[in-house]
Amino acid sequence: MKIEVLVIGGGIVGLSCAAESAKNGFSTLLVERHESFGQETSSRNSEVIHSGIYYQPGSLKAKLCVTANHNLYKECERSGVWTKRCGKLIVAVTQEERKPLEELYKRGLANGVGELVLLDAIQAKRIEPYIKCCAAIYVLSTGIIDSHQLMKSYLSEAKSFGADFAFNVNFVGGERKNYLFDVRLRDTDGHLTTLEAEYVINAAGLQSDKVAQAFGINIDTAGYRLHYNRGHYYSVSPSKGKLISHLVYPIPLKHLVSVGIHTAIDKAGRVRLGPDHEYLDQSIPEIDWYKFDDTRKEKFLKAVQSYFPALQLSDLSPDQVGVRPKLKGSESEVKDFIIQEESVKGLSGLVNLIGIESPGLTCAREIAREVIRRIVDIS
Ligand SMILES: Cc1cc2nc3c(=O)[nH]c(=O)nc-3n(C[C@H](O)[C@H](O)[C@H](O)COP(=O)(O)OP(=O)(O)OC[C@H]3O[C@@H](n4cnc5c(N)ncnc54)[C@H](O)[C@@H]3O)c2cc1C
């Protein structure tokens, strides 16, 4: 069997790549190791449409996120995917946090994030009466989305342009031979199939470094090795959840390890808190990554009570765990998304997507457009 574009991974990024690829006229096949799409990071996140305020000016994260925020609401309106432009407050709780808040505001302006307003304590209280702060940034363009619906719409779009999907199929290896990739796939019964692909898009999320390695790339030399960083969510009792109507975020952690434990609101109006951050010991088996560790309740309460004092320990119940594919082992450096067409490594036509952490859900369509641009450039 021979196809033009093989997409490895059926999360939000793989699905959007399949849609863009098929729309551009390439014969497209997406393979996903689970029985359905979106079983990993794409269904374990805050479902926030980010504005682009946080990221280094000029970085892919900043550029793609600002564009994505602008395009995604309109796209979802057309495709019937639920979104809500609920807005977000980033709060300075102490006087010391005013300076980093102002720096963040300037960064947002530098990135071209529209509709940013600096608020004093009284103005912030008018918007969120139960939130305590001495100043805040009001980011009007931030919103929330039904991520499952978005994935379904990318799947339908890809199918409408003729893309094929193979679930329960694991990519196990590949090499470049005679201007094509020979790709080995194994189904859940253990059957091995080989197919030829002109282009391969590695959208394997948490496994994307291993997929790159399977094509013979040295992931340490290339800087592709991933470090797994786990984040827990607690849900908030409805009686306290109804006291807030915006997303509320603290000042982000240094070097953007995390944007901090914030409030997240879903389509049903349910409020969650999270995610925290913790690098996973590489020896922990994948099956245990998503086990909820309830020993962190007090830590969550302390973090969130600083800006949402009405919250009590009894308001929190365990929700879910997500895992970030981080491109760093230390907290010293902010890494960008890697979108790399691998001609320089002798693997022309392989596009690796590595370290697609937040804002990857927001940016999925823009990442896919970037990937297809790179494929079209070499075709
Ligand atoms: C805690 C948390 C909160 C977040 N919050 C937000 C947010 O609010 N807003 C936002 O924009 N982003 C957010 N993100 C980031 C966003 O969720 C991710 O960037 C996005 O979901 C990544 O999608 P993906 O398709 O790359 O990866 P995934 O969803 O992980 O998909 C990868 C797929 O590849 C498959 N796969 C892996 N290996 C193979 C193989 N060998 N063969 C076949 N299939 C394979 C997997 O089974 C999986 O389905 C958050 C992330 C986390 C962890």
Side-chain angles (χ1 to χ4, degrees):
M1 184 183 170
K2 187 180 158 194
I3 42 140
E4 285 170 314
V5 174
L6 174 74
V7 182
I8 302 168
I12 189 78
V13 175
L15 293 167
S16 60
C17 286
E20 282 296 314
S21 166
K23 196 158 76 182
N24 277 272
F26 293 107
S27 63
T28 304
L29 171 68
L30 181 150
V31 293
E32 164 54 51
R33 62 180 177 163
H34 294 301
E35 62 184 7
S36 182
F37 59 88
Q39 302 293 298
E40 299 196 359
T41 313
S42 296
S43 49
R44 296 171 168 275
N45 56 62
S46 304
E47 298 192 294
V48 171
I49 299 178
H50 284 295
S51 64
I53 189 172
Y54 292 117
Y55 319 107
Q56 183 72 30
S59 64
L60 276 173
K61 283 183 182 174
K63 286 191 285 194
L64 297 182
C65 193
V66 171
T67 310
N69 182 285
H70 184 255
N71 292 340
L72 190 55
Y73 291 106
K74 288 187 214 150
E75 174 194 317
C76 290
E77 210 176 301
R78 283 195 297 273
S79 56
V81 173
W82 182 89
T83 62
K84 186 174 175 187
R85 231 169 171 275
C86 57
K88 142 173 168 176
L89 290 182
I90 305 173
V91 294
V93 176
T94 61
Q95 292 300 332
E96 294 75 59
E97 286 181 344
R98 272 179 182 273
K99 195 162 175 262
L101 189 84
E102 277 159 22
E103 279 164 8
L104 196 56
Y105 175 72
K106 284 184 200 148
R107 173 168 280 198
L109 295 180
N111 284 346
V113 177
E115 301 177 281
L116 286 183
V117 188
L118 261 182
L119 305 176
D120 62 24
I122 296 166
Q123 291 167 322
K125 200 134 210 100
R126 262 188 228 128
I127 291 172
E128 278 295 354
Y130 291 90
I131 294 298
K132 188 185 100 183
C133 66
C134 57
I137 305 172
Y138 189 17
V139 192
L140 281 88
S141 61
T142 301
I144 44 180
I145 187 162
D146 181 334
S147 55
H148 190 76
Q149 260 189 12
L150 185 65
M151 285 191 272
K152 265 177 89 173
S153 84
Y154 289 162
L155 179 91
S156 310
E157 183 184 331
K159 282 186 173 170
S160 74
F161 287 106
D164 285 318
F165 288 80
F167 293 101
N168 287 318
V169 172
N170 208 338
F171 160 85
V172 289
E175 50 268 320
R176 187 148 175 85
K177 274 190 196 158
N178 307 325
Y179 305 104
L180 289 172
F181 289 98
D182 263 5
V183 176
R184 292 184 298 286
L185 305 169
R186 183 172 283 128
D187 68 19
T188 37
D189 298 329
H191 295 127
L192 201 64
T193 315
T194 303
L195 63 79
E196 291 178 323
E198 267 178 66
Y199 307 99
V200 177
I201 302 172
N202 168 11
L206 294 161
Q207 305 299 323
S208 55
D209 58 345
K210 296 191 181 57
V211 168
Q213 197 167 35
F215 280 101
I217 292 175
N218 180 326
I219 58 172
D220 290 310
T221 316
Y224 291 176
R225 186 175 291 279
L226 291 173
H227 301 269
Y228 302 134
N229 187 295
R230 176 159 66 172
H232 286 69
Y233 289 88
Y234 278 92
S235 52
V236 174
S237 65
S239 64
K240 294 293 165 61
K242 70 177 186 210
L243 301 181
I244 43 176
S245 54
H246 297 77
L247 304 165
V248 184
Y249 283 61
I251 298 289
L253 271 77
K254 216 167 166 211
H255 306 304
L256 210 59
V257 175
S258 148
V259 287
I261 299 178
H262 58 83
T263 65
I265 308 173
D266 69 12
K267 191 179 172 182
R270 194 174 59 109
V271 174
R272 294 185 297 151
L273 305 178
D276 61 350
H277 67 98
E278 163 196 55
Y279 278 103
L280 273 173
D281 187 318
Q282 301 274 352
S283 65
I284 297 179
E286 203 178 331
I287 197 161
D288 291 336
W289 288 356
Y290 302 108
K291 278 189 183 160
F292 198 94
D293 167 14
D294 198 16
T295 59
R296 54 199 69 223
K297 211 176 194 175
E298 276 89 1
K299 189 185 81 179
F300 265 68
L301 183 72
K302 193 163 171 247
V304 180
Q305 252 185 349
S306 67
Y307 60 85
F308 185 22
L311 205 67
Q312 302 292 317
L313 206 58
S314 56
D315 292 316
L316 306 189
S317 21
D319 193 87
Q320 64 168 192
V321 178
V323 177
R324 306 170 179 93
K326 285 248 176 229
L327 274 166
K328 57 189 168 186
S330 76
E331 301 191 352
S332 59
E333 202 189 341
V334 182
K335 292 274 189 178
D336 203 0
F337 291 151
I338 292 178
I339 303 178
Q340 187 67 43
E341 195 285 313
E342 302 287 7
S343 287
V344 283
K345 298 188 185 73
L347 294 164
S348 171
L350 169 64
V351 184
N352 280 314
L353 299 172
I354 320 266
I356 310 298
E357 53 170 334
S358 191
L361 173 68
T362 309
C363 296
R365 171 76 80 180
E366 301 310 319
I367 292 172
R369 288 190 172 129
E370 189 66 36
V371 168
I372 300 306
R373 264 196 292 275
R374 294 185 193 200
I375 286 180
V376 168
D377 278 355
I378 57 159
S379 61

